[in-house]
Structure formats: structure tokens, C-alpha cells
Amino acid sequence: MADLELMRELAIENDTKILLLILDGVGGLPMTPDGATELEAADTPHLDALAARSICGMSTPVAPGVTPGSGPGHLSLFGYDPLEFEIGRGVLEALGIGFDLQSNDVAARGNFCTLDEQGIITDRRAGRIPTEVGARLCEKLRQVQLPGMETFVRPVKEYRFVLVLRGEGLYDGLTETDPQQTGVPPRPVEPLRPEAADTAKLFNQWLAEARKLLADEYPANGCNLRGLAKDPGLPQMPNIYKLRCGAIATYPMYRGVAKLAGMEVLPTGETIEDEVETLKQHWADYDFFFFHVKKTDSRGEDGDFEGKAKVIEHLDAVLPDILALDPDVVIITGDHSTPALWKAHSWHELPVLLWSNYIRMDSVTQFGERPCMAGGLGHIYHPDLLPLAMAHAGRLIKFGA
Amino acid sequence: MADLELMRELAIENDTKILLLILDGVGGLPMTPDGATELEAADTPHLDALAARSICGMSTPVAPGVTPGSGPGHLSLFGYDPLEFEIGRGVLEALGIGFDLQSNDVAARGNFCTLDEQGIITDRRAGRIPTEVGARLCEKLRQVQLPGMETFVRPVKEYRFVLVLRGEGLYDGLTETDPQQTGVPPRPVEPLRPEAADTAKLFNQWLAEARKLLADEYPANGCNLRGLAKDPGLPQMPNIYKLRCGAIATYPMYRGVAKLAGMEVLPTGETIEDEVETLKQHWADYDFFFFHVKKTDSRGEDGDFEGKAKVIEHLDAVLPDILALDPDVVIITGDHSTPALWKAHSWHELPVLLWSNYIRMDSVTQFGERPCMAGGLGHIYHPDLLPLAMAHAGRLIKFGA
């Protein structure tokens, strides 16, 4: 497994360019046992031609059998051991709505819930209230003031919101209030380490005030906080790898994770064509590009096999424009699998291709799960991809004499 | 990854023989994307026939993307985790010229450099002075005396030399004097731990005297010391594996590394035929043989594809003589790749074959990088090779009841 300190020791500058092209949730499953996966069913002449000139394989994002969330899936692509570095749920939720999180903020994911007269939770999601209702309730919760603190309450979707505290002396290491079951009351926030005691008090104060304001708002007459966390303070990619890193992604969460890793987030539009245009505009300015395609995952979550294949075909159609920029190293894979059959993230390995002028071509001629099983990279781990890219880009010196 | 303590616990004696045949830098790349590698292009009927009766695979010396120096490349072949055990540059340089390093010596690699009148480095390699000049300057530096210490100064090549201090109470954990840039003066040697303070003083005294002696020797009017280190005190192979270990290598560095690991170094000549003769002579005396072929690496560093293939063919021609000795286990691989296309050590995996009477034959019928990608060993790590050899030699007992 990759070792960030080793990378920091070996990395040197060079004038080569690395492109990490991520099709979110691209890994799939056949809808019938002997059928094709979404990627295999898609008509992808350019991906296949590139695979034929590449070395391919299968890659595990976290560990065998482990289904990654978006945070760990991307951390591992960026070379971090996702079991060592974690992005708290509150942070990820804040990034997901494009909130400009500061390094000392503590962010929590909030859930509106329903309480009975004894304060017992009867519905952990408050009957999945409409998003507009959630937004109105967030407006109301902005009245809660904490001494010496800024508070931010932002709606997400339905019963979900984000709460961020900003001020001096905030610590994470805090328990959640959601007991993960009905029939019991919400728990208080408790510190998991002594220095977080004051922060826990602040969150409990906020909760007490918030519940007063919500008292008449049936069914959303209560709320819980989950995943109270700070920016994890990741070692920064430009420092470790001596790469100027640019991120191109249409969704806030992926821009946010890239930013946590030390990448510069490039403004772009909503379509894959917009992203390609952004890549072209900034090609000279960065050494490493994280290029993220979201909708493969969305269609997979929808269970929409054809739709997911279409997104892959869409990317395939622009691939020649991307390759015309003449990168020195190209890696194409996903952050995790999202098979339409499973309608959710899954644990399955990802097909991966690695192209450079210094690879040993294998016999794979189609970019798909089953062809890549026979690829020359074998079965690898996501955190090893970036070190491999660095080596192929002539950006690592020899280890030891 | 292999665990030396586990091996020590499980290893038993037996009357079986293990041959580890290392073609230094054997891993290669095609000169054109769809071409053959050096090993694949070489005409190797005996290697191919052995591969057909073996189980094959691809092996990573250190970690994905990491290019090993000769030290880590060999430590991993000898079963050590190369990230845990390191051989300092000074030690490796001393071994490389066949210096008989004692366990308490501190060795440094010396570089002659050019200083201006203010003592600022203007050329870190002193204009790459000829080897004869370096040798004369080393002769001069032998005048430097340190109280209670023996000092050894040995020329290596051009501007490079080796300095060894021998005496009581020497410690390593010392900084280098080479600032790795011009425009600044050499740094002093500084201790990285308290007990190395006196050793640092001794090196600084030596440097002060040396620079006086060199003052008139433009362009080599100064010198730097790098990689100040002691024998790393590796756990010894005969103790761990209960093997009598013999090393056959034509170059001093590989003999030196084998000696550090506890092998007995067998005198041999300069050719592969000499090495085979040495193997025959000593066949009865050892259980494990490290047989090292150097020139695959040399030709790779030269960028000489054909020359490298010829060295491989040379080894292939003597393989029947080697196999006629009837070893119980044969492993053939390299310490790292040195593709002629890359003209240097590289990070690429090594093809490996393992033969014994207790393997499961796979479908590989040619010893080459692309065929071995489909081998039955899959993708493994160098430090796992020796435990596999031990097992196939009936030299490991069961773990646990």
C-alpha cells in the first residue's frame, strides 16, 4: 500500500502531465448472470482503443467486500489510505452543498425528526418532509445564537440539513445525537476527548434552542445531529507529490473533497463538454488533473442500466478531444462501483486502465470488467494508482542507493 | 508480506537445495508499444522450457511505482522488508569497491567538489575529474590522522571516493555535508541523536584537515560526505532460515549485500561460466545459493536492448548445466527492472518463475513479462519469494496447531 511519507521523499518536479479520469460509480454488474455490464454494453470505441494500448486491471477502492462512500472512494484515488484518513459525514455534507468550510469549523449533518410528548423519537426522518419545508425550518433555526460563535444552517434535501459552528476553540471528537432507532429520546452530544467538552456544550445549547423553535412544527418537531467533524487536515497533494493539482467536477461534493486534498478547483459548467473545455483552458497551468464524471453513479443509483451506459458513451465521445491534449499518463477508472442491478454503491472492484509511453501492453482490447480481469496490472488497490502514475510520469526518484 | 519472526519460528533444516538466480535489472520494456521486451526478444529455449514446467508470475520489489536501488532490490529478494531495513549509501559504496567493512565502522561516500574563495560550492562534482586524479587525491587524503581512529580513503570513480572511520565508540545517525546545490558552502556533519555527537566531531575534524590538503587542487579543492552509515545489522539469514547460504556474484556490491545478510561469499571469476563453475564446486556445501548475473542491468543502463538480450541468452545457454545440479527449488527473477528504453532502474514488476516438484504448473510457456502476467503466481512481492522457496523445499513447519 502506498506510503505518503515515501512519496514525499521520492517525488520530484518534471514537465509531465497526469490525467486521472474518474467515472463515478462506473463499475457495474450484468442484469442477467451471463450478460454484459453497463460498461461492457456501452458502445465505447475510443475507450476500447485506449485500453488496447494500455495496461489494464481491476482495482479495489478500500478493502475486499467494503463498499466505499464518496469520501473514502476519492481519498483512495488521491493516494490516501481511506482507513487512515477519514472525512466526517458533517464535512462531506457541507462540501456536498458547496459550503465554504474553514479549517476550524465543526460541521454536522442534521436530520429533522418527529418526537412524541415525552420527547421520544417516533420517526427519525420526520415523515420525509418536502425539501421546501426543510428549507423553511432551516430559516427558522438561523435564529439560534451562540455566544462568540457564528452558526450556519443550510438545507440539503427533504429532512436533511447542515449545521456549521465557526469560532475560536472548537474541537471535534464528539458523539452523535441520533440513537439510530425510534422509541428512545435523542442523545446529548458528548465529548470523546477532554478538549472537546466546550464544543459539546455549544452543540447541546444549540440543540436545546432549536428544539424550542421546532416544538410546533409537527412532524418535524425535533432534530438530530450526526457526524460532527472538522476538515481532517489531509497532507496536501502539492506538498507530497510536487504536483500542481487541478480538479474539474460538476458536483460540489467532489470539488470539496479535491479541495481538502489540496487541489485547486477549476470553475466549470454542468456538462461533460463544459468540463472538457475547462480542461483545455487550464491544460498549461497544472501537472495533475482530476476529471470527474458524475452521472454514471446517478444512473446506477436509479437502477437505469441503459442510462448509465449512455453516460459512458457520452464520455467516450469526448475522449479523443481529451487525449488530443497529449497527457503523459492517463488513468481511467471509478471511485467505486454502482451497478444498476444493485441501485447503490457496491464493493465490487473497478476496471482500470493505465496508459503511458512506458507501460507493458497486455492483451486487453476492451475496457470492461471481465476483460480487465485478465489485465497486466492484476488486482491492485486504489491508493497505489497515484504512485504508479507518478512513476510513469518520471516524477519519482530511485528509493535507496 | 513476509515476517522474519514467523520465518524464524517455522524454519527447519532439511537436505534440500534452493537456487535463487537473479538477472540484475532483467525486467524490460518494448522499444515500440507493441514490441517485445528484452527478455521476450531473447532466444531462450531453456528458460522457456523451465517456465513451462514452473509456476510464473509478476513481482514487485518494493511497492507499486517505487524504483529500487540495488540495496532495497536485493534486501527484498533476501526476504527483508526494504522499507524497514535500509543500507546506507556510504555502506553500499564501500561494499561496491569490495571494502571489508567491519560492524562498527562508519562509512561515507565522498564527492570531490569545487569551492570558490569564499568556500562556496561552484561544482558539486569537481568537473568530473578523471578517475586517476581522484585516486591521487585519495592518496593525499590518507595523511589525515584522527586520534585513536583508523581512517580508510578509497577511490571509486571520477570524483567519488569512500571514507571509512574505524575505532571505538562510533555511531551513525549523522547528517550529510552536501547541500545538493551550488552557491552555498558545504554543511557540517551534525548528529541526529546525542550519542553520535563525538562521531560527528571526528568527521568534521577529518573534513577540516582534508580541505587544507585539497586547497591547491583546483578543480577538486573541496569535498563532501554523503550517506554516513554503519552496517545495518540485518538479522542473519542462516539464523532465520536455518540455511547455509552461499553467494556467487561477480561485482563487489552484490557480494557485499549478501555478506550483510549473513551469506558466505564464494570466490569466483568474472564470467557467467566462472560463476557456474563456482556453483558446481560448492554445490555440496550450502543449502541456498544466491547466483547473481550483473550485465543484464549494465546493458539496460546503456540503453543497449540487443546487448541485454544477449546477456540473457548467455545465461540461458548455461542453464542446463545449472539445472543438472538437481536443485529442489529454483526461483529466477531480477532485483528490479532496467529497461533499455528507460536506461535506468525502473519501477516495473519483474517476471518470476518458481520451479519445484510441488508446484501447480500454469499455462505459461515462455519466460517473459507479458506471458508471466498471466502466470499462476499472479502479482506478488519480492519479500514473499524466499518464504515460498522455503516451503517448496520442505523447510517450514506448520503454523499453529
Side-chain angles (χ1 to χ4, degrees):
Chain A
M1 188 74 89
D3 176 328
L4 293 185
E5 284 315 305
L6 184 62
M7 286 296 113
R8 195 191 294 271
E9 184 184 322
L10 302 181
I12 54 168
E13 293 183 5
N14 200 334
D15 58 0
T16 48
K17 291 195 189 290
I18 299 170
L19 173 66
L20 177 65
L21 201 169
I22 299 306
L23 290 151
D24 202 300
V26 70
L29 285 172
M31 299 300 277
T32 55
D34 57 351
T37 67
E38 298 90 322
L39 179 58
E40 291 164 4
D43 182 27
T44 54
H46 303 115
L47 280 167
D48 295 345
L50 183 60
R53 294 186 288 126
S54 299
I55 186 164
C56 296
M58 296 299 282
S59 188
T60 294
V62 177
V66 175
T67 297
S70 297
H74 278 84
L75 286 188
S76 61
L77 285 169
F78 301 159
Y80 302 92
D81 176 352
L83 296 174
E84 180 183 352
F85 297 97
E86 275 190 72
I87 304 176
R89 184 182 297 265
V91 171
L92 211 61
E93 201 84 352
L95 298 176
I97 57 166
F99 184 84
D100 184 24
L101 200 72
Q102 313 284 303
S103 63
N104 290 316
D105 294 352
V106 178
R109 166 166 162 180
N111 290 348
F112 292 111
C113 66
T114 308
L115 304 174
D116 69 11
E117 286 168 16
Q118 281 73 47
I120 303 294
I121 299 170
T122 58
D123 184 336
R124 290 177 51 235
R125 297 180 186 83
R128 293 187 184 271
I129 48 170
T131 299
E132 310 80 69
V133 175
R136 182 179 60 75
L137 297 175
C138 285
E139 194 70 45
K140 201 165 181 180
L141 292 180
R142 291 201 189 108
Q143 298 172 37
V144 181
Q145 302 281 330
L146 294 174
M149 289 287 140
E150 280 185 276
T151 58
F152 303 87
V153 186
R154 297 282 163 85
V156 179
K157 198 178 172 188
E158 298 177 348
Y159 61 95
R160 286 158 48 196
F161 66 91
V162 169
L163 167 66
V164 177
L165 298 197
R166 179 173 297 167
E168 294 294 309
L170 292 174
Y171 287 87
D172 57 5
L174 299 158
T175 62
E176 308 189 328
T177 72
D178 187 345
Q180 304 263 10
Q181 52 179 312
T182 55
V184 293
R187 297 178 179 152
V189 175
E190 288 175 23
L192 294 167
R193 44 186 189 147
E195 58 269 46
D198 288 344
T199 309
K201 271 186 209 161
L202 287 166
F203 274 104
N204 286 322
Q205 275 181 41
W206 186 91
L207 282 163
E209 296 296 320
R211 285 175 187 144
K212 279 185 213 163
L213 291 170
L214 295 173
D216 299 328
E217 296 285 354
Y218 190 86
N221 61 353
C223 64
N224 273 305
L225 298 179
R226 298 186 63 186
L228 295 79
K230 294 175 87 157
D231 176 337
L234 299 174
Q236 300 291 284
M237 287 180 65
N239 299 335
I240 301 167
Y241 299 103
K242 298 186 181 66
L243 292 171
R244 298 170 299 163
C245 300
I248 302 172
T250 58
Y251 271 48
M253 183 189 292
Y254 309 99
R255 293 201 288 263
V257 175
K259 194 179 149 207
L260 292 185
M263 296 188 214
E264 288 179 41
V265 176
L266 309 180
T268 192
E270 297 199 351
T271 67
I272 293 178
E273 282 76 10
D274 291 335
E275 294 185 87
V276 173
E277 192 52 39
T278 303
L279 184 69
K280 286 182 188 171
Q281 281 172 14
H282 292 275
W283 188 248
D285 307 333
Y286 297 91
D287 308 307
F288 170 90
F289 290 91
F290 161 54
F291 186 105
H292 183 261
V293 174
K294 170 63 185 170
K295 295 211 165 126
T296 26
D297 178 58
S298 315
R299 293 297 87 76
E301 298 242 5
D302 297 341
D304 179 358
F305 186 100
E306 292 296 330
K308 185 172 164 189
K310 285 264 176 285
V311 179
I312 296 167
E313 290 175 358
H314 189 168
L315 184 279
D316 188 77
V318 303
L319 190 61
D321 286 349
I322 294 175
L323 298 182
L325 292 166
D326 201 20
D328 295 278
V329 181
V330 179
I331 290 180
I332 304 180
T333 187
D335 54 337
H336 53 74
S337 295
T338 309
L341 181 68
W342 190 254
K343 296 186 184 177
H345 292 199
S346 81
W347 61 93
H348 300 88
E349 286 177 301
L350 276 300
V352 57
L353 74 74
L354 166 63
W355 177 87
S356 94
N357 277 322
Y358 302 102
I359 53 105
R360 297 167 179 155
M361 267 168 53
D362 57 24
S363 56
V364 176
T365 57
Q366 186 198 351
F367 192 50
E369 287 81 352
R370 288 170 303 174
C372 285
M373 285 178 192
L377 286 174
H379 297 259
I380 61 177
Y381 283 88
H382 269 30
D384 291 328
L385 291 172
L386 190 51
L388 280 172
M390 289 286 291
H392 283 269
R395 287 176 170 272
L396 294 179
I397 59 167
K398 192 163 65 172
F399 168 67
Chain B
M1 187 74 93
D3 176 327
L4 295 185
E5 284 316 305
L6 184 61
M7 287 296 112
R8 197 191 293 271
E9 186 185 321
L10 303 183
I12 53 168
E13 293 183 7
N14 201 332
D15 59 0
T16 49
K17 292 194 188 291
I18 298 170
L19 173 66
L20 177 65
L21 202 168
I22 299 305
L23 290 150
D24 201 300
V26 71
L29 284 172
M31 300 300 277
T32 55
D34 56 352
T37 67
E38 298 90 322
L39 179 58
E40 290 164 3
D43 181 27
T44 53
H46 303 114
L47 280 168
D48 295 345
L50 183 60
R53 294 186 289 124
S54 298
I55 186 164
C56 295
M58 296 299 281
S59 188
T60 294
V62 177
V66 174
T67 295
S70 296
H74 278 85
L75 285 189
S76 62
L77 285 169
F78 301 158
Y80 302 92
D81 176 353
L83 296 174
E84 180 183 351
F85 297 98
E86 275 191 72
I87 305 176
R89 184 182 294 268
V91 170
L92 212 61
E93 201 84 352
L95 299 177
I97 56 165
F99 184 85
D100 184 23
L101 199 73
Q102 312 284 301
S103 64
N104 291 315
D105 295 352
V106 178
R109 166 165 163 181
N111 290 349
F112 291 109
C113 67
T114 309
L115 304 174
D116 71 10
E117 286 169 14
Q118 279 73 44
I120 303 294
I121 300 170
T122 57
D123 185 337
R124 289 176 54 234
R125 296 180 184 85
R128 294 189 184 272
I129 47 170
T131 299
E132 310 81 67
V133 174
R136 182 178 60 74
L137 296 175
C138 285
E139 194 69 46
K140 201 166 180 180
L141 292 180
R142 291 202 188 105
Q143 297 171 38
V144 181
Q145 302 282 329
L146 294 174
M149 288 287 141
E150 279 186 275
T151 59
F152 303 87
V153 187
R154 296 283 164 84
V156 177
K157 197 179 173 188
E158 298 176 349
Y159 62 94
R160 285 158 49 195
F161 66 91
V162 169
L163 168 66
V164 177
L165 300 197
R166 178 173 297 167
E168 293 294 309
L170 292 173
Y171 287 87
D172 58 5
L174 300 159
T175 63
E176 308 190 330
T177 73
D178 186 346
Q180 305 262 10
Q181 52 178 315
T182 55
V184 293
R187 298 181 178 148
V189 176
E190 286 175 23
L192 293 167
R193 45 185 188 147
E195 56 269 45
D198 289 343
T199 310
K201 271 187 208 160
L202 287 166
F203 274 105
N204 286 323
Q205 275 182 40
W206 186 91
L207 282 162
E209 294 296 321
R211 285 176 187 143
K212 279 185 215 163
L213 292 169
L214 295 174
D216 298 329
E217 296 285 355
Y218 190 87
N221 61 354
C223 65
N224 273 306
L225 299 180
R226 297 187 64 187
L228 296 80
K230 293 175 87 157
D231 176 338
L234 299 174
Q236 300 290 286
M237 286 178 67
N239 299 337
I240 301 167
Y241 300 102
K242 300 186 181 67
L243 291 171
R244 297 170 301 163
C245 299
I248 302 173
T250 59
Y251 271 48
M253 183 187 292
Y254 310 99
R255 293 201 289 262
V257 175
K259 194 179 149 207
L260 292 185
M263 297 188 214
E264 288 181 41
V265 176
L266 310 179
T268 191
E270 296 198 354
T271 67
I272 294 177
E273 283 76 10
D274 292 335
E275 293 184 87
V276 173
E277 192 53 39
T278 304
L279 184 68
K280 285 181 188 171
Q281 280 171 15
H282 292 275
W283 188 249
D285 308 333
Y286 297 91
D287 308 307
F288 171 90
F289 290 90
F290 161 54
F291 187 106
H292 183 262
V293 174
K294 169 63 185 170
K295 294 208 165 130
T296 26
D297 178 58
S298 315
R299 294 296 88 75
E301 297 243 4
D302 297 342
D304 179 359
F305 186 99
E306 294 296 329
K308 184 173 165 189
K310 285 263 177 283
V311 179
I312 296 167
E313 290 176 356
H314 188 168
L315 184 278
D316 188 78
V318 303
L319 191 61
D321 286 350
I322 294 173
L323 298 181
L325 292 166
D326 201 19
D328 296 278
V329 181
V330 179
I331 289 180
I332 304 180
T333 187
D335 53 338
H336 54 75
S337 294
T338 309
L341 182 68
W342 189 255
K343 296 185 183 177
H345 292 198
S346 82
W347 62 92
H348 297 89
E349 289 176 299
L350 276 302
V352 57
L353 74 73
L354 166 63
W355 178 87
S356 91
N357 277 321
Y358 304 101
I359 55 104
R360 298 167 179 151
M361 266 170 53
D362 57 25
S363 56
V364 178
T365 56
Q366 186 198 351
F367 192 50
E369 287 81 353
R370 289 172 302 175
C372 285
M373 283 177 191
L377 286 174
H379 296 257
I380 62 176
Y381 283 88
H382 267 32
D384 292 330
L385 292 172
L386 190 52
L388 281 172
M390 289 287 292
H392 282 269
R395 286 176 170 271
L396 294 179
I397 58 166
K398 189 163 63 175
F399 169 66

